[in-house]
Amino acid sequence: HAYSVAEHSLLVEDLYRVIVRDPEPRWQLAALLHDAPEYVIGDMISPFKAALGLDYKAFEKRLMAAIHMRFGLAPASPEKLEIFIKKSDRMAAYLEATQLAGFSVPEAEKFFGRPKGLDGEGSQKFHRLKPLAPNEAADLFLKKFRQLA
């Protein structure tokens, strides 16, 4: 199976909980939804975004604000939350690169940095990424979403 955005989103939310001890459920939901604009408009590589000739980042930000409001979150996330979600996303990228995309550890470290905080209690689950069937990934995502929403 291909590794899905749903699985990536679940991983980021899990990593967010490793970084932020006892987080508020609304911020866990924000972490889970961090790539929601990709669901709406698809994921595009940066050079293509630049070729569109508009401020794509601003567009994504406006779309994210609308998604947040739809699900009861503040339109703009606190800066500290954004920092923790970005850190969780980079940690996920490192794990996905080394376990699923064939990157060597030095290559992944070069692009994503070496994640800190994955050596403690409960971190073992992050060391065994395995793509799920699409319906299984969707079910897990929706279960987590319902728990947090």
Side-chain angles (χ1 to χ4, degrees):
H1 302 290
Y3 190 74
S4 68
V5 174
E7 290 172 90
H8 168 76
S9 297
L10 287 163
L11 178 59
V12 169
E13 189 273 332
D14 276 344
L15 290 165
Y16 176 78
R17 281 186 287 114
V18 168
I19 294 169
V20 179
R21 304 280 187 231
D22 197 27
E24 293 182 48
R26 66 184 173 147
W27 301 142
Q28 287 176 252
L29 180 60
L32 185 69
L33 296 174
H34 79 283
D35 277 340
E38 290 180 16
Y39 173 78
V40 177
I41 55 177
D43 189 17
M44 292 181 248
I45 60 172
S46 296
F48 185 74
K49 291 177 183 180
L52 289 175
L54 54 96
D55 189 348
Y56 201 84
K57 200 71 165 160
F59 177 71
E60 282 183 319
K61 209 171 194 141
R62 285 187 15 233
L63 183 55
M64 182 58 91
I67 291 166
H68 274 203
M69 289 188 311
R70 166 62 180 90
F71 296 112
L73 298 170
S77 298
E79 186 177 343
K80 193 169 186 177
L81 173 66
E82 291 290 331
I83 290 168
F84 287 137
I85 290 174
K86 181 60 90 179
K87 181 177 180 182
S88 303
D89 198 24
R90 289 184 67 77
M91 291 169 79
Y94 174 90
L95 292 170
E96 293 158 354
T98 55
Q99 294 183 35
L100 303 170
F103 281 59
S104 68
V105 168
E107 287 173 317
E109 287 176 354
K110 178 182 171 187
F111 290 108
F112 310 110
R114 183 154 184 99
K116 294 179 179 78
L118 292 181
D119 300 327
E121 184 181 326
S123 66
Q124 299 81 6
K125 68 180 170 181
F126 302 121
H127 297 287
R128 296 185 303 274
L129 299 183
K130 182 179 175 213
L132 303 171
N135 60 336
E136 188 178 352
D139 288 346
L140 288 172
F141 180 90
L142 290 172
K143 180 180 177 185
K144 177 58 78 172
F145 175 81
R146 287 183 194 108
Q147 174 191 346
L148 298 173

